[in-house]
Amino acid sequence: SKSGGWGFESLQACTYRREVYMFAKLIKFLKEVKIEVSKVSYPSRKELWTSTGVVIVFSAILSLFIYIFDLLFSRALISVLR
């Protein structure tokens, strides 16, 4: 035939090899993830609560700041448009 080995059967072999290769890559990836996760240092409970408190306080201050500027700009815009 003119296909010269490009028929259905030869593509099956390539597909099988590709699946085995992808599975080997997945296994390698999972092993590397396990190694990296073992290197992670987690914060203590006290550090976690302190960081959480800082985030909450900063969020509250930023919210107040945005509210005040929004109020000022909206009143200025209303007075300009009247």
Side-chain angles (χ1 to χ4, degrees):
S1 80
K2 293 183 179 182
S3 63
W6 287 93
F8 185 73
E9 292 177 292
S10 65
L11 289 178
Q12 279 184 337
C14 290
T15 303
Y16 174 73
R17 277 189 241 128
R18 184 175 23 178
E19 289 172 357
V20 170
Y21 177 69
M22 293 297 288
F23 184 72
K25 282 177 57 174
L26 176 65
I27 296 297
K28 181 181 176 189
F29 172 76
L30 291 175
K31 286 180 181 178
E32 290 175 358
V33 167
K34 183 179 176 183
I35 291 169
E36 290 300 320
V37 167
S38 69
K39 295 177 184 177
V40 173
S41 63
Y42 295 98
S44 67
R45 186 174 295 267
K46 183 178 179 182
E47 291 172 331
L48 184 64
W49 279 107
T50 303
S51 299
T52 303
V54 168
V55 168
I56 290 171
V57 168
F58 181 76
S59 298
I61 291 170
L62 186 62
S63 298
L64 184 63
F65 182 75
I66 291 172
Y67 172 74
I68 290 170
F69 274 97
D70 181 54
L71 191 63
L72 292 174
F73 284 130
S74 64
R75 290 196 179 181
L77 186 63
I78 289 171
S79 67
V80 168
L81 292 177
R82 283 190 182 179

